[in-house]
Amino acid sequence: MNSSLFFDISAGAYIAAMVIYVIYLVTRNSKVGITATAVTISGFVCQSTALLIRWVNSYYFWTAEHTASGVIESLLRAAPLRNLYESLIFFVWALILAHLLVEFKYKNRSLGAFVTPIAALVLLFIDVTGTSKEIMPLVPALQSNWLLFHVFLAFLGYAAFGVSFGASAAYIVLITESKFEKTYLFWSFIIGVFLIVLIAMGIDFLSLSAAQRVQLIQSHFLKASFRSSSSVVVAVSWISAGGFFLILWWFGYGLKNLLTKLSITPEMLDDITYKSIAVGFPLFTVGGLIMGAIWANSAWGKYWTWDPKETWSLITWFVYALYLHARFVGGWRGKRVAILAMVGFISVIFTYLGVNLVLSGLHSYGG
Amino acid sequence: MEKEKKDIFESIWSLLASVKLAISLLIMLAATSIVGTIVEQNAEPAQNIKLLAKFFGDSFAPTVYNIFAKLGFMDMYDSWWFLSLLALFGINLIVCSLERFPKTWKLVQAVQRPMSESVLKSLPVKKELKIKTTLSVAKDEFFNALTASRYRVLEATEEGSVQLYTQKGRYVRLSVYVVHLSIILIFAGAIIGSVFGFKGYLNIPEGSMYNVAFKSPTEKIPLGFSVKCNWYETLYYEEIDSPKDFRSELVIIEDGKEVMKKIIEVNDPLTYKGITFFQSNYGMMPDTVGKFILDITPKNGPKATVWLRYGDTFEIPGTGIKGTIMDFSPALTRDRGTGSLITYSENMVNPAVLIKFEEPGREPYVGWILKRYPSTGVLNGGHSVIFKDYWGVEYTGLSVSKDPGVWLIYLASILMAVGLYVCFFMSHKKIWVNIAEEGKSVNITVGASTNRNRLTLEQKIEKIVSHASKAIEGRKS
Ligand code: HEM
């Protein structure tokens, strides 16, 4: 059986859920809200099925080549966390899971409108970059249980951080009192950069042939817009980006009224941000840093080499440690900590994608 | 004068103990680390000058490079100022924890006391209710409900009222110190490793033996024993050139005796006397001739393994068939365009041996036998000549390391994991239940506090109260 149909259905469901959550924000019709949750849950069930199918498939793929490998070992080696595509899919899965947990715990649906877009963006990213979806043989360095636990826990942590990003972004909108506040400008800038990069990658994607798409990230990143060889295209890109920022900045403020009407309080968002970081931080520390270090030690004899990937995980860790201390003992409140929470997740994204896009490292992830 | 000195000392101490300093240090460490990931570390100058030219232009780049290099950014994580930042961070952590620990310890040790009803009502979590029952029934049932939730309950009795009070998880307050301690231990482990350990490499040709490792081409580290590589091989996935495994067989020889033998692979090193050998590399030795290892099996006969050189001749026992080694290719493939056979890599990606077979009364014939495809070695008569290896031309690239601090790092990791778990998922909860008689009823006031997760505690209190009041109701009937 092939898992891709189920993956496609779930991706469709998440994107639909995003739209419905936004409609819910606007209409505040509780039936719409229930529909949004139902669609999300169906997508989640589909995706879980797809993950299981893929796991089974790669189990057979592995055992065909490694006949001496035991059942447990084969199951571990086949776990669908083996390359960029699978880890991003798993991230989406964990993010939706975290979101559903928050929704049930806080009995409030509105956060969906902030978290499902992250899921949709990641799914879009996968398709836009043409990330390989094939089940590939595992190169020797990746044949390690530590690596598996490392990716598994780190991505659960990333998902929790993703929720905190959604909550802190909503928080900033909610407490903004004027469009000219620095915090709100920061917010518009960050959200704008996210969307613009994604749109620009979409343009890259459309401008490339199928064969070139595989190389999008490595060789064609933003080559159809900001990094084009034609200066006209570059100028047009910057001007449209500027326009986009203005629109986002102008209309983003409107979200505040919506959120207020939905009886979402800043306290609640702050609480969600803090709690998800409190869950994400231990997961990321143990999964991302400790397991990663143990794996590096067992594969290369050194638990820490300051390679860019490791260093960026450490930077991410510093940012979240900063968040915890600033909020818990440093007496920071409100906007400042919300910005830290946003910066933390930007650092997560850079750790995972930016290092492969911009810097190069030892790690084999990255398409 | 004395006093002034003391003042200076005190203000330095309080600076070192402050969370403000910790916040500044975290920001500085994060910011400088970012620079270290952009500037390529320990790279050829040209590489970074090219990078800097993108930001500063071609004419300024060399100057900027020199300034950066002077500041240590080209080997940043070993630079004096980065190490000082880390050291200051460690000191900050120690001083801060020393400052705060006694207060926390007092909190942990503090004996819980009964509280007046008015104070109870000011606690963050509270609940009041009135039930028709007697003082002793209410007391019993709340006692039971609390005990059922595994609280150890104390009580204080006064005229006409009784107070139950209890706490759980007071040691949770120490978990932050466990986390902080684990960071100090990681620093300690890293220092031990860099002072008493080493990191080197060693390339051993198949069949050779070394008793040193190398830090650099000229700097040797004696091992105290010898290590020999019996063989090295790369295994490939079928049909594609994606490597499946890199393996070498290593033997440790001490005082002329073989004391250990292991096939190592990536993720599965060999450790002897604290020194660990990791599979990290491989390659071909230039201008070396090796030996062909063939497994020869006549139809219905026993297998024999032979080692041969270029031009050597062998015989398939009992058949009169003779083979001669004619040629070797480390990576044989058929060219897609011309269809002719070519060698497409210097490395042993698809090793093949060309053998000329001669049989009395027949035309000699020549054929390639491929190591990765044993079926190419099956001859017409059902005899087989399997190409096992071309031995003696590859070397195994090992990284060799000794890190006596690593156990401390692992211990600290466990402490950190446990500490973080306790810190974020457990809490110190205190509960007071005041029961006061009023005519035929009792007024019950429950107050509770916690250092974390108030919501959870509220739910817990709800549960205990409803548990107890149900039991009280049950007693009436
Ligand atoms: C990156 C390194 C560090 C990590 C991972 C770390 C970890 C933690 C954690 C997890 C907490 C609990 C926070 C919460 O409950 O939300 C905490 C609390 C605290 N940390 Fe750190 N810490 C670090 C560095 C420091 C440093 C350098 C200082 C020095 C001033 C410090 C001072 C404190 C203090 C005062 C508290 C509050 C303790 C209390 O509850 O009484 N931490 N730390």
Side-chain angles (χ1 to χ4, degrees):
Chain A
M1 212 181 347
N2 197 321
S3 57
S4 60
L5 176 67
F6 286 95
F7 277 129
D8 290 346
I9 296 176
S10 68
Y14 294 153
I15 290 166
M18 173 178 85
V19 175
I20 304 173
Y21 272 119
V22 172
I23 296 175
Y24 170 66
L25 267 195
V26 180
T27 61
R28 285 180 295 137
N29 179 328
S30 67
K31 275 192 193 131
V32 176
I34 293 171
T35 315
T37 308
V39 171
T40 313
I41 293 177
S42 332
F44 185 73
V45 172
C46 261
Q47 200 189 2
S48 310
T49 317
L51 282 171
L52 274 178
I53 296 174
R54 193 172 170 97
W55 196 340
V56 171
N57 286 347
S58 35
Y59 176 83
Y60 287 119
F61 190 87
W62 170 269
T63 46
E65 281 282 352
H66 300 81
T67 39
S69 161
V71 176
I72 304 270
E73 191 193 335
S74 303
L75 275 176
L76 289 173
R77 292 289 176 279
L81 294 166
R82 307 162 16 135
N83 54 27
L84 182 68
Y85 169 70
E86 291 180 339
S87 58
L88 288 176
I89 287 287
F90 178 71
F91 170 77
V92 171
W93 183 86
L95 185 71
I96 296 293
L97 176 67
H99 160 65
L100 288 172
L101 288 176
V102 171
E103 188 172 305
F104 282 102
K105 183 150 175 165
Y106 287 84
K107 312 248 178 304
N108 196 311
R109 294 212 157 80
S110 347
L111 201 66
F114 288 81
V115 175
T116 43
I118 304 180
L121 288 184
V122 175
L123 293 171
L124 212 61
F125 177 86
I126 293 173
D127 272 336
V128 159
T129 53
T131 307
S132 167
K133 298 178 184 177
E134 293 294 306
I135 295 178
M136 300 284 228
L138 214 50
V139 299
L142 303 186
Q143 296 171 13
S144 155
N145 292 344
W146 291 114
L147 175 73
L148 178 71
F149 300 142
H150 167 55
V151 178
F152 178 73
L153 291 177
F155 270 79
L156 287 182
Y158 289 167
F161 290 150
V163 173
S164 80
F165 178 78
S168 54
Y171 178 91
I172 286 181
V173 173
L174 199 53
I175 58 160
T176 295
E177 281 173 358
S178 117
K179 287 198 180 89
F180 296 96
E181 272 174 36
K182 282 197 208 93
T183 346
Y184 180 67
L185 291 172
F186 170 82
W187 182 93
S188 320
F189 178 70
I190 295 303
I191 304 292
V193 169
F194 265 112
L195 296 177
I196 287 168
V197 169
L198 211 80
I199 293 170
M201 284 173 68
I203 297 172
D204 287 341
F205 181 72
L206 293 176
S207 74
L208 295 174
S209 69
Q212 288 169 313
R213 278 174 189 167
V214 179
Q215 286 287 312
L216 191 150
I217 288 284
Q218 286 87 347
S219 355
H220 303 288
F221 184 61
L222 302 193
K223 281 277 164 66
S225 47
F226 297 94
R227 295 172 64 212
S228 169
S229 53
S230 142
S231 47
V232 177
V233 174
V234 174
V236 170
S237 305
W238 280 105
I239 291 167
S240 350
F244 187 84
F245 273 122
L246 277 180
I247 292 170
L248 185 76
W249 168 71
W250 190 261
F251 290 103
Y253 189 66
L255 285 171
K256 175 191 163 112
N257 295 331
L258 290 178
L259 291 173
T260 320
K261 281 185 204 146
L262 281 161
S263 65
I264 298 182
T265 61
E267 291 72 35
M268 190 169 118
L269 290 173
D270 181 53
D271 193 51
I272 295 175
T273 308
Y274 177 69
K275 287 224 169 95
S276 36
I277 290 177
V279 171
F281 192 74
L283 283 171
F284 176 66
T285 308
V286 174
L289 291 172
I290 296 181
M291 301 275 181
I294 296 177
W295 171 52
N297 195 42
S298 72
W300 293 294
K302 221 165 158 55
Y303 51 84
W304 197 260
T305 53
W306 293 104
D307 90 88
K309 197 100 184 173
E310 284 174 339
T311 309
W312 268 98
S313 329
L314 188 69
I315 293 165
T316 302
W317 194 65
F318 283 152
V319 175
Y320 282 112
L322 188 61
Y323 172 93
L324 290 173
H325 288 81
R327 198 194 117 118
F328 200 70
V329 267
W332 289 24
R333 282 290 175 272
K335 293 176 202 171
R336 281 161 98 192
V337 282
I339 286 191
L340 269 183
M342 284 185 79
V343 170
F345 192 64
I346 294 166
S347 178
V348 166
I349 295 176
F350 200 82
T351 305
Y352 199 65
L353 298 172
V355 172
N356 300 86
L357 283 184
V358 186
L359 316 160
S360 57
L362 267 174
H363 293 238
S364 79
Y365 281 110
Chain B
M1 201 58 194
E2 265 301 291
K3 194 166 164 287
E4 237 171 66
K5 251 191 199 161
K6 214 173 156 193
D7 281 350
I8 291 175
F9 178 77
E10 260 171 23
S11 57
I12 290 179
W13 180 265
S14 65
L15 174 70
L16 287 178
S18 72
V19 177
K20 271 218 179 80
L21 178 65
I23 289 175
S24 327
L25 285 172
L26 280 170
I27 294 174
M28 284 196 269
L29 282 170
T32 50
S33 299
I34 293 175
V35 178
T37 63
I38 296 171
V39 177
E40 204 155 326
Q41 298 295 299
N42 299 312
E44 294 290 320
Q47 221 164 327
N48 278 319
I49 291 177
K50 217 169 106 192
L51 180 86
L52 288 169
K54 285 188 187 153
F55 298 97
F56 300 100
D58 284 328
S59 47
F60 282 113
T63 324
V64 177
Y65 176 85
N66 283 337
I67 297 172
F68 268 43
K70 284 242 165 61
L71 291 174
F73 275 104
M74 300 305 152
D75 185 10
M76 201 195 94
Y77 305 110
D78 290 321
S79 69
W80 65 269
W81 55 264
F82 191 77
L83 293 177
S84 311
L85 271 183
L86 284 176
L88 194 56
F89 188 70
I91 293 168
N92 183 206
L93 192 53
I94 295 173
V95 174
C96 171
S97 299
L98 285 178
E99 269 290 291
R100 290 184 167 238
F101 187 77
K103 280 184 219 141
T104 312
W105 186 243
K106 254 191 205 149
L107 267 178
V108 170
Q109 290 293 305
V111 180
Q112 195 191 8
R113 302 209 180 281
M115 273 200 214
S116 76
E117 215 181 315
S118 57
V119 178
L120 271 194
K121 286 180 182 164
S122 70
L123 286 179
V125 179
K126 57 188 168 290
K127 180 128 187 106
E128 290 175 69
L129 64 160
K130 189 170 185 161
I131 307 180
K132 254 203 169 112
T133 184
T134 63
L135 190 62
S136 77
V137 169
K139 192 196 89 175
D140 281 356
E141 290 310 337
F142 269 92
F143 186 92
N144 290 344
L146 286 166
T147 318
S149 293
R150 275 181 281 138
Y151 280 93
R152 283 178 45 213
V153 186
L154 301 172
E155 59 177 270
T157 320
E158 272 181 40
E159 181 62 39
S161 80
V162 64
Q163 191 165 105
L164 304 176
Y165 56 98
T166 178
Q167 61 175 337
K168 196 154 83 177
R170 51 199 172 131
Y171 291 104
V172 168
R173 289 188 185 271
L174 299 180
S175 61
V176 175
Y177 297 92
V178 173
V179 175
H180 288 166
L181 176 70
S182 71
I183 294 169
I184 301 296
L185 292 182
I186 287 174
F187 279 152
I191 292 170
I192 293 176
S194 67
V195 173
F196 299 104
F198 66 80
K199 170 90 187 170
Y201 65 91
L202 179 58
N203 296 338
I204 317 180
E206 288 173 315
S208 297
M209 187 161 91
Y210 277 83
N211 59 10
V212 291
F214 296 86
K215 260 188 180 159
S216 69
T218 51
E219 198 180 345
K220 289 180 192 169
I221 315 158
L223 296 173
F225 51 83
S226 300
V227 53
K228 183 180 169 196
C229 169
N230 277 349
W231 47 259
Y232 167 80
E233 80 175 333
T234 311
L235 297 179
Y236 289 90
Y237 285 101
E238 257 172 58
E239 309 292 340
I240 46 175
D241 289 343
S242 171
K244 178 166 149 183
D245 211 351
F246 307 111
R247 318 195 290 168
S248 339
E249 184 172 79
L250 300 186
V251 181
I252 303 289
I253 293 153
E254 198 172 19
D255 302 327
K257 279 196 298 278
E258 180 182 317
V259 288
M260 198 173 182
K261 182 167 164 181
K262 181 175 178 181
I263 297 174
I264 66 162
E265 50 187 27
V266 184
N267 284 310
D268 188 15
L270 173 151
T271 303
Y272 185 70
K273 292 205 165 159
I275 299 179
T276 308
F277 298 87
F278 298 87
Q279 183 71 60
S280 79
N281 214 329
Y282 68 95
M284 299 282 283
M285 284 172 304
D287 308 324
T288 315
V289 280
K291 287 185 177 164
F292 297 89
I293 307 175
L294 305 180
D295 272 355
I296 300 172
T297 323
K299 192 177 184 182
N300 310 323
K303 185 177 86 179
T305 301
V306 294
W307 293 54
L308 305 162
R309 291 184 181 281
Y310 259 101
D312 278 359
T313 300
F314 61 89
E315 194 182 313
I316 303 179
T319 62
I321 303 175
K322 277 194 182 148
T324 309
I325 309 268
M326 306 291 292
D327 199 2
F328 170 75
S329 161
L332 189 74
T333 194
R334 195 172 288 282
D335 187 273
R336 284 232 185 96
T338 63
S340 57
L341 291 168
I342 52 164
T343 292
Y344 66 103
S345 169
E346 304 268 290
N347 281 321
M348 295 233 278
V349 184
N350 189 20
V353 62
L354 187 68
I355 297 181
K356 181 164 125 198
F357 288 98
E358 286 164 300
E359 200 175 345
R362 276 201 177 187
E363 279 284 292
Y365 61 97
V366 195
W368 284 101
I369 298 179
L370 287 81
K371 178 171 178 245
R372 279 172 62 188
Y373 303 92
S375 60
T376 52
V378 179
L379 307 182
N380 280 338
H383 321 295
S384 76
V385 177
I386 306 288
F387 179 27
K388 294 303 282 183
D389 199 10
Y390 182 47
W391 182 88
V393 293
E394 280 180 297
Y395 66 84
T396 182
L398 306 173
S399 49
V400 185
S401 76
K402 179 176 160 182
D403 191 340
V406 103
W407 66 273
L408 200 54
I409 302 279
Y410 282 4
L411 177 77
S413 302
I414 294 170
L415 277 181
M416 187 183 288
V418 173
L420 284 173
Y421 178 82
V422 174
C423 177
F424 286 112
F425 299 110
M426 294 168 89
S427 58
H428 178 197
K429 309 180 204 67
K430 295 186 200 169
I431 302 175
W432 290 265
V433 181
N434 195 68
I435 308 170
E437 230 167 1
E438 193 186 286
K440 290 211 168 118
S441 306
V442 288
N443 285 327
I444 299 166
T445 315
V446 184
S449 69
T450 176
N451 65 335
R452 186 177 287 277
N453 289 340
R454 211 179 72 192
L455 210 68
T456 325
L457 181 63
E458 266 167 24
Q459 287 161 354
K460 189 89 210 163
I461 296 290
E462 280 297 331
K463 218 179 101 193
I464 288 172
V465 168
S466 83
H467 197 276
S469 31
K470 264 191 204 129
I472 295 170
E473 292 296 323
R475 279 223 199 173
K476 282 185 200 156
S477 49

